[in-house]
Amino acid sequence: MTFGSMLGTFLIGPLKFVFEIIFQLVYEWVQDPGLCIIALSLAMNFLVLPLYRRADAVQEQARDREAALAPGVAHIKKTFSGNERMMMLQTYYRQNRYLPLNAFSGSVSLLLEIPFFMAAYQFLSNLPLLNGTAFWMIRDLGAPDRLLSLGSLPVNVLPILMTLINFASAAIYLKGFPLKTKIRTYAIAVAFLVLLYNSPAGLVFYWTLNNVFSLLKNIVTYYVLPRIRAERAKSGKPAEKKAGRQKTRPLPQPDGKLFFLAAAFLTVLVGAFIPSVFISASPQEYVDLTHYFSPLWYNVSALLLAAGFFLLWFGVFYWLASPRGKVIFERILVICAILGAVNYMFFGTNLGILSASLRYAGGVSFLAKERILNGVVFVGAILLVLLLAKKLQKVFPYLLTISLAALLVMTGINTASTRRALKDLDPREAVPEAHFTISREGKNVVVLFLDRAMGEYVPYLLQEKPELTEIFDGFTWYSNTISFGGHTNMCAPALMGGYEYTPVELNKRDTERLLDKHNEALKVLPVLFMNNGYGVTVCDAPYANYKWIPDLSIYDEYPSIRKFITKGAFSSEDDKDSAIRNNLRNFFAFSWMKTLPLELQPVVYDSGSYLIAGSQNGSVAQIRTGLSRSHGMDQGFLDPFNVLRNLSHITKIEDGGTGQYLFFYNDAPHEPMMLQEPDYLPALTVDNSTYDEAHRHRFTANGKTLIVENGSQMIHYQANMASLLQIGSWLQYLRDNGVYDNTRIIIVSDHGYYLGQNPDREFTRRGKVIDTESYYPLLMVKDFNARGFRTSDEFMTNADVPALAVEGVIADPVNPFTGKRITTEEKTAHDQYIMTSREWHVNDRDTVFAPSGWAIIRDDINARQNWRFIDQETVLKEYPEP
């Protein structure tokens, strides 16, 4: 961010944000940009009407003050000259307690109008939703109106109409003003005409409506109301003051210190602390090494927006308010500070996983009892402030000061943590030209790790697209597969290293850091294949060195292992810039949402778009309408999906007999978005209504129906289909190049996801529903020269992958780090222990996983139904020694 952009964020950003919110809320209701502009003009004018009324009063006071001083100033200017005149004027002003800067009070309205105009200009001039949209006589709100023409010369009527209305309004307002003031006002109106003449019609239409509102306001203020008062005076209708003294309650006095402390507290809470908490939790999640941008700038942007809101613009309103209005402002801000802190700390804390684009996988929704409790707290906070304001007025400043100091300290700690996590990143580590090798003559082993791919979906995917059985010729789908947890940090070690690395086995090695054990698991197969003469390539090893962006330096001691980060390497620079711009805005919106009452949070969240106007920001913040329509695209999906689309591009076919081992990680199924059917490809605008209606029975297969009733369920299905289709294209590429039969391919995921799509998979544990769909990963295996697609109900786990990978290609496979043989014997030797924790965050200092509930599954053809739940303390007592 440049200094200019930071200044614009602070001064104009809050106003533009308000414009966007109003426009988008109306647009979601009426779906007509022209009506949205009308509503925006009305809302903004009524919102700032008290501000302008107070500004007019301030201007009038300033003019009266200048008029009172004018005779003295004129006398001094007539009598004195040069430095003597200047000194006399300074003395005169000082004696009358007047500062030359007070002259700006006479231009308050103009000073206020400039930032509002700039915000409107930035917003409406860059709103693609207006492009090509007609309204009334305007053919295109996104272009100059050109309503008339003089021969071949088009004439823009709206700017001229805007100026004429402005003249009429000024003529009423400026009656009795000096000529100099009138000339200046009319000159500004002409300047607006020149500036806006070739501007988009939508912007000029908005400003014309503002001028109409100003004209009506001036007519009412200077003609209608005075006549009403005069008529009442003639008829004797004005209420007469009652005789005698009337007791009145003394008005509370405003406390500028209280206002400033409340505004500063909200600024730090919303703009600094909350963003820092979420960024520091996983800093590298917000970084793309192929297009580096520090997430600390998101914190800076949120802080500037919050400071602009609470300190600058609320401060302007407070400064212009009457004494009673200032007291009201103080109490409103104190209530907001109390509720903001309470809502953030105690409500909406279990919304699930938050993506790098600030979207919750399950959306934002709350139980009725939680909303009711939040409503009670809301009412209680208001009553507390209003009823006990006088008693607490002395206490509030101290409480706010202490709380503000605490927030600043915690923000500093979080920021320092983020800086430490980012300091070792090397943007050059991501290589756009990443490649891996497949041998023509040697035996190849490929492990495709698809994060969160759902084994549950396979029958339905095959039913919708039967051709997949031919595309995946030779594969066996294992329908009875489990994982050892519901998150990557719990499941990936076993998938990469085998049964020595299940969560319960890792916990038994409680003197070693989880980080070291995780890294060891990531290296088991690459090092084993390398030691047996294979060429080895590793792409995007998950959580390597417990970093969100894999720290591939864990392989540095093995120079022959090729290693790459592919995620984001094939996405466009424009898409990445768009994602950054939206996070710069949305971190403030997200933090603000977290402080609001629960009833308002889903409104602001707006399916993850945070009320971005018209959802016209292209590649990010996809907005879904029902199960079939959407607009926009999510960068979180595009980055990995574009890699899948380019698998053939990064595959190098090599002559010779050296076998190759490839490990390839991709999280497209983990970051789903709505796709255009039937090809399941990203599109800016998606409309699947016709296809969905024609294929409404696709979610029933083998007598079982998959529940697809919400957007999250639909997009997960689509992301899985899209991933398999792209892998299928790569498989065809292998066939075309004669390397399909000599390649063993294992497609596996670490876990599933809790989507509530199969009631048979749900169990109740201590009052909480556990959706065991989270623990059923995808497992599909194609062996050398295999033919036909088949389904097996053999009991499997994703810890079988290492044994499947080395079977028949490495004699007596032994873990190079522990010396133990890599087998599947542990699977049948005893029951399997699944970790049911939702604690997915990783810590490089922990030696065991956090305490958790556990489930036991026995080796059985119906393993999916045979669940037994036990507590943390009984796991090691029951778990057999090897």
mmCIF file of all heavy atoms in Angstrom, residues 282-308:
data_model
loop_
_atom_site.group_PDB
_atom_site.id
_atom_site.type_symbol
_atom_site.label_atom_id
_atom_site.label_comp_id
_atom_site.label_asym_id
_atom_site.label_seq_id
_atom_site.Cartn_x
_atom_site.Cartn_y
_atom_site.Cartn_z
ATOM 1 N N SER A 282 -2.870 -18.245 11.529
ATOM 2 C CA SER A 282 -2.320 -18.985 10.380
ATOM 3 C C SER A 282 -1.844 -17.982 9.334
ATOM 4 O O SER A 282 -2.450 -17.856 8.264
ATOM 5 C CB SER A 282 -3.375 -19.927 9.792
ATOM 6 O OG SER A 282 -2.847 -20.697 8.757
ATOM 7 N N PRO A 283 -0.759 -17.255 9.606
ATOM 8 C CA PRO A 283 -0.345 -16.156 8.715
ATOM 9 C C PRO A 283 -0.091 -16.590 7.285
ATOM 10 O O PRO A 283 -0.442 -15.878 6.340
ATOM 11 C CB PRO A 283 0.947 -15.638 9.378
ATOM 12 C CG PRO A 283 0.873 -16.083 10.787
ATOM 13 C CD PRO A 283 0.142 -17.380 10.764
ATOM 14 N N GLN A 284 0.523 -17.751 7.114
ATOM 15 C CA GLN A 284 0.902 -18.167 5.767
ATOM 16 C C GLN A 284 -0.295 -18.567 4.915
ATOM 17 O O GLN A 284 -0.182 -18.629 3.694
ATOM 18 C CB GLN A 284 1.901 -19.318 5.844
ATOM 19 C CG GLN A 284 3.202 -18.922 6.496
ATOM 20 C CD GLN A 284 4.216 -20.038 6.484
ATOM 21 O OE1 GLN A 284 4.012 -21.081 5.878
ATOM 22 N NE2 GLN A 284 5.330 -19.832 7.158
ATOM 23 N N GLU A 285 -1.429 -18.790 5.560
ATOM 24 C CA GLU A 285 -2.637 -19.106 4.798
ATOM 25 C C GLU A 285 -3.037 -17.947 3.898
ATOM 26 O O GLU A 285 -3.688 -18.137 2.866
ATOM 27 C CB GLU A 285 -3.778 -19.439 5.767
ATOM 28 C CG GLU A 285 -5.055 -19.882 5.098
ATOM 29 C CD GLU A 285 -6.128 -20.252 6.101
ATOM 30 O OE1 GLU A 285 -5.847 -20.235 7.317
ATOM 31 O OE2 GLU A 285 -7.251 -20.559 5.667
ATOM 32 N N TYR A 286 -2.649 -16.734 4.269
ATOM 33 C CA TYR A 286 -3.029 -15.533 3.528
ATOM 34 C C TYR A 286 -1.948 -15.091 2.538
ATOM 35 O O TYR A 286 -2.011 -13.979 2.025
ATOM 36 C CB TYR A 286 -3.327 -14.399 4.509
ATOM 37 C CG TYR A 286 -4.419 -14.735 5.491
ATOM 38 C CD1 TYR A 286 -4.108 -15.185 6.780
ATOM 39 C CD2 TYR A 286 -5.757 -14.652 5.137
ATOM 40 C CE1 TYR A 286 -5.107 -15.518 7.683
ATOM 41 C CE2 TYR A 286 -6.759 -14.989 6.033
ATOM 42 C CZ TYR A 286 -6.426 -15.415 7.300
ATOM 43 O OH TYR A 286 -7.412 -15.751 8.188
ATOM 44 N N VAL A 287 -0.970 -15.963 2.286
ATOM 45 C CA VAL A 287 0.156 -15.609 1.430
ATOM 46 C C VAL A 287 0.178 -16.500 0.198
ATOM 47 O O VAL A 287 -0.058 -17.707 0.280
ATOM 48 C CB VAL A 287 1.494 -15.758 2.198
ATOM 49 C CG1 VAL A 287 2.673 -15.556 1.262
ATOM 50 C CG2 VAL A 287 1.560 -14.762 3.352
ATOM 51 N N ASP A 288 0.441 -15.897 -0.941
ATOM 52 C CA ASP A 288 0.681 -16.620 -2.189
ATOM 53 C C ASP A 288 2.120 -16.318 -2.598
ATOM 54 O O ASP A 288 2.454 -15.186 -2.939
ATOM 55 C CB ASP A 288 -0.299 -16.151 -3.272
ATOM 56 C CG ASP A 288 -0.109 -16.881 -4.595
ATOM 57 O OD1 ASP A 288 0.876 -17.629 -4.731
ATOM 58 O OD2 ASP A 288 -0.944 -16.690 -5.491
ATOM 59 N N LEU A 289 2.977 -17.341 -2.539
ATOM 60 C CA LEU A 289 4.385 -17.108 -2.823
ATOM 61 C C LEU A 289 4.627 -16.673 -4.262
ATOM 62 O O LEU A 289 5.642 -16.044 -4.562
ATOM 63 C CB LEU A 289 5.192 -18.381 -2.533
ATOM 64 C CG LEU A 289 5.445 -18.690 -1.050
ATOM 65 C CD1 LEU A 289 6.262 -19.951 -0.914
ATOM 66 C CD2 LEU A 289 6.132 -17.532 -0.356
ATOM 67 N N THR A 290 3.695 -17.019 -5.158
ATOM 68 C CA THR A 290 3.865 -16.603 -6.552
ATOM 69 C C THR A 290 3.444 -15.155 -6.768
ATOM 70 O O THR A 290 3.656 -14.606 -7.852
ATOM 71 C CB THR A 290 3.050 -17.510 -7.492
ATOM 72 O OG1 THR A 290 1.647 -17.320 -7.234
ATOM 73 C CG2 THR A 290 3.398 -18.969 -7.283
ATOM 74 N N HIS A 291 2.831 -14.548 -5.743
ATOM 75 C CA HIS A 291 2.359 -13.168 -5.858
ATOM 76 C C HIS A 291 2.348 -12.602 -4.439
ATOM 77 O O HIS A 291 1.296 -12.360 -3.852
ATOM 78 C CB HIS A 291 0.956 -13.156 -6.475
ATOM 79 C CG HIS A 291 0.509 -11.810 -6.959
ATOM 80 N ND1 HIS A 291 0.918 -11.267 -8.146
ATOM 81 C CD2 HIS A 291 -0.310 -10.887 -6.403
ATOM 82 C CE1 HIS A 291 0.365 -10.090 -8.331
ATOM 83 N NE2 HIS A 291 -0.391 -9.830 -7.274
ATOM 84 N N TYR A 292 3.527 -12.387 -3.904
ATOM 85 C CA TYR A 292 3.660 -12.138 -2.471
ATOM 86 C C TYR A 292 3.063 -10.796 -2.055
ATOM 87 O O TYR A 292 3.312 -9.762 -2.672
ATOM 88 C CB TYR A 292 5.137 -12.178 -2.056
ATOM 89 C CG TYR A 292 5.311 -12.081 -0.562
ATOM 90 C CD1 TYR A 292 5.136 -13.201 0.242
ATOM 91 C CD2 TYR A 292 5.630 -10.872 0.044
ATOM 92 C CE1 TYR A 292 5.281 -13.117 1.616
ATOM 93 C CE2 TYR A 292 5.771 -10.781 1.423
ATOM 94 C CZ TYR A 292 5.597 -11.906 2.200
ATOM 95 O OH TYR A 292 5.729 -11.818 3.559
ATOM 96 N N PHE A 293 2.289 -10.864 -0.990
ATOM 97 C CA PHE A 293 1.714 -9.670 -0.364
ATOM 98 C C PHE A 293 1.554 -9.990 1.108
ATOM 99 O O PHE A 293 0.844 -10.928 1.474
ATOM 100 C CB PHE A 293 0.366 -9.325 -0.989
ATOM 101 C CG PHE A 293 -0.221 -8.018 -0.510
ATOM 102 C CD1 PHE A 293 0.151 -6.810 -1.087
ATOM 103 C CD2 PHE A 293 -1.153 -8.000 0.524
ATOM 104 C CE1 PHE A 293 -0.379 -5.611 -0.642
ATOM 105 C CE2 PHE A 293 -1.694 -6.802 0.974
ATOM 106 C CZ PHE A 293 -1.308 -5.611 0.388
ATOM 107 N N SER A 294 2.207 -9.224 1.961
ATOM 108 C CA SER A 294 2.189 -9.528 3.390
ATOM 109 C C SER A 294 0.788 -9.342 3.972
ATOM 110 O O SER A 294 0.165 -8.293 3.777
ATOM 111 C CB SER A 294 3.164 -8.623 4.143
ATOM 112 O OG SER A 294 3.018 -8.811 5.546
ATOM 113 N N PRO A 295 0.282 -10.331 4.719
ATOM 114 C CA PRO A 295 -1.045 -10.178 5.339
ATOM 115 C C PRO A 295 -1.086 -9.103 6.410
ATOM 116 O O PRO A 295 -2.175 -8.710 6.840
ATOM 117 C CB PRO A 295 -1.318 -11.575 5.925
ATOM 118 C CG PRO A 295 0.024 -12.198 6.078
ATOM 119 C CD PRO A 295 0.867 -11.650 4.973
ATOM 120 N N LEU A 296 0.080 -8.626 6.849
ATOM 121 C CA LEU A 296 0.076 -7.524 7.818
ATOM 122 C C LEU A 296 -0.573 -6.280 7.231
ATOM 123 O O LEU A 296 -1.121 -5.452 7.967
ATOM 124 C CB LEU A 296 1.506 -7.212 8.267
ATOM 125 C CG LEU A 296 2.162 -8.257 9.189
ATOM 126 C CD1 LEU A 296 3.621 -7.928 9.411
ATOM 127 C CD2 LEU A 296 1.415 -8.331 10.522
ATOM 128 N N TRP A 297 -0.524 -6.145 5.901
ATOM 129 C CA TRP A 297 -1.185 -5.002 5.272
ATOM 130 C C TRP A 297 -2.705 -5.095 5.419
ATOM 131 O O TRP A 297 -3.391 -4.067 5.428
ATOM 132 C CB TRP A 297 -0.800 -4.902 3.803
ATOM 133 C CG TRP A 297 0.577 -4.369 3.591
ATOM 134 C CD1 TRP A 297 1.647 -5.028 3.062
ATOM 135 C CD2 TRP A 297 1.038 -3.049 3.915
ATOM 136 N NE1 TRP A 297 2.748 -4.199 3.033
ATOM 137 C CE2 TRP A 297 2.403 -2.986 3.549
ATOM 138 C CE3 TRP A 297 0.440 -1.928 4.472
ATOM 139 C CZ2 TRP A 297 3.164 -1.830 3.725
ATOM 140 C CZ3 TRP A 297 1.206 -0.781 4.654
ATOM 141 C CH2 TRP A 297 2.547 -0.738 4.282
ATOM 142 N N TYR A 298 -3.239 -6.319 5.526
ATOM 143 C CA TYR A 298 -4.675 -6.451 5.768
ATOM 144 C C TYR A 298 -5.025 -5.843 7.122
ATOM 145 O O TYR A 298 -6.069 -5.205 7.279
ATOM 146 C CB TYR A 298 -5.094 -7.921 5.732
ATOM 147 C CG TYR A 298 -4.849 -8.605 4.414
ATOM 148 C CD1 TYR A 298 -4.428 -9.927 4.351
ATOM 149 C CD2 TYR A 298 -5.031 -7.925 3.209
ATOM 150 C CE1 TYR A 298 -4.207 -10.560 3.139
ATOM 151 C CE2 TYR A 298 -4.813 -8.550 1.993
ATOM 152 C CZ TYR A 298 -4.404 -9.868 1.967
ATOM 153 O OH TYR A 298 -4.191 -10.501 0.765
ATOM 154 N N ASN A 299 -4.134 -6.063 8.099
ATOM 155 C CA ASN A 299 -4.342 -5.480 9.424
ATOM 156 C C ASN A 299 -4.267 -3.955 9.364
ATOM 157 O O ASN A 299 -5.070 -3.242 9.980
ATOM 158 C CB ASN A 299 -3.289 -6.022 10.383
ATOM 159 C CG ASN A 299 -3.837 -6.267 11.778
ATOM 160 O OD1 ASN A 299 -3.399 -7.159 12.480
ATOM 161 N ND2 ASN A 299 -4.804 -5.468 12.191
ATOM 162 N N VAL A 300 -3.301 -3.452 8.598
ATOM 163 C CA VAL A 300 -3.153 -1.997 8.455
ATOM 164 C C VAL A 300 -4.399 -1.398 7.803
ATOM 165 O O VAL A 300 -4.925 -0.368 8.252
ATOM 166 C CB VAL A 300 -1.900 -1.658 7.627
ATOM 167 C CG1 VAL A 300 -1.844 -0.166 7.299
ATOM 168 C CG2 VAL A 300 -0.636 -2.080 8.370
ATOM 169 N N SER A 301 -4.868 -2.031 6.738
ATOM 170 C CA SER A 301 -6.050 -1.520 6.039
ATOM 171 C C SER A 301 -7.272 -1.513 6.948
ATOM 172 O O SER A 301 -8.037 -0.539 6.974
ATOM 173 C CB SER A 301 -6.320 -2.373 4.798
ATOM 174 O OG SER A 301 -7.470 -1.915 4.117
ATOM 175 N N ALA A 302 -7.465 -2.606 7.707
ATOM 176 C CA ALA A 302 -8.602 -2.660 8.634
ATOM 177 C C ALA A 302 -8.496 -1.564 9.688
ATOM 178 O O ALA A 302 -9.497 -0.932 10.052
ATOM 179 C CB ALA A 302 -8.669 -4.035 9.292
ATOM 180 N N LEU A 303 -7.286 -1.315 10.156
ATOM 181 C CA LEU A 303 -7.085 -0.269 11.175
ATOM 182 C C LEU A 303 -7.388 1.111 10.605
ATOM 183 O O LEU A 303 -8.026 1.945 11.269
ATOM 184 C CB LEU A 303 -5.651 -0.331 11.698
ATOM 185 C CG LEU A 303 -5.283 0.700 12.777
ATOM 186 C CD1 LEU A 303 -6.176 0.552 13.994
ATOM 187 C CD2 LEU A 303 -3.817 0.545 13.170
ATOM 188 N N LEU A 304 -6.961 1.373 9.375
ATOM 189 C CA LEU A 304 -7.233 2.669 8.753
ATOM 190 C C LEU A 304 -8.729 2.873 8.546
ATOM 191 O O LEU A 304 -9.262 3.961 8.793
ATOM 192 C CB LEU A 304 -6.500 2.767 7.417
ATOM 193 C CG LEU A 304 -4.975 2.890 7.495
ATOM 194 C CD1 LEU A 304 -4.351 2.735 6.119
ATOM 195 C CD2 LEU A 304 -4.582 4.239 8.097
ATOM 196 N N LEU A 305 -9.423 1.834 8.096
ATOM 197 C CA LEU A 305 -10.873 1.948 7.912
ATOM 198 C C LEU A 305 -11.577 2.177 9.241
ATOM 199 O O LEU A 305 -12.488 3.008 9.341
ATOM 200 C CB LEU A 305 -11.407 0.687 7.233
ATOM 201 C CG LEU A 305 -11.254 0.614 5.714
ATOM 202 C CD1 LEU A 305 -11.556 -0.790 5.211
ATOM 203 C CD2 LEU A 305 -12.167 1.629 5.035
ATOM 204 N N ALA A 306 -11.161 1.430 10.262
ATOM 205 C CA ALA A 306 -11.786 1.591 11.575
ATOM 206 C C ALA A 306 -11.514 2.982 12.141
ATOM 207 O O ALA A 306 -12.417 3.626 12.697
ATOM 208 C CB ALA A 306 -11.263 0.513 12.528
ATOM 209 N N ALA A 307 -10.286 3.467 11.996
ATOM 210 C CA ALA A 307 -9.964 4.818 12.476
ATOM 211 C C ALA A 307 -10.766 5.863 11.706
ATOM 212 O O ALA A 307 -11.240 6.850 12.285
ATOM 213 C CB ALA A 307 -8.460 5.075 12.326
ATOM 214 N N GLY A 308 -10.922 5.643 10.397
ATOM 215 C CA GLY A 308 -11.732 6.565 9.609
ATOM 216 C C GLY A 308 -13.174 6.586 10.066
ATOM 217 O O GLY A 308 -13.804 7.653 10.148
#
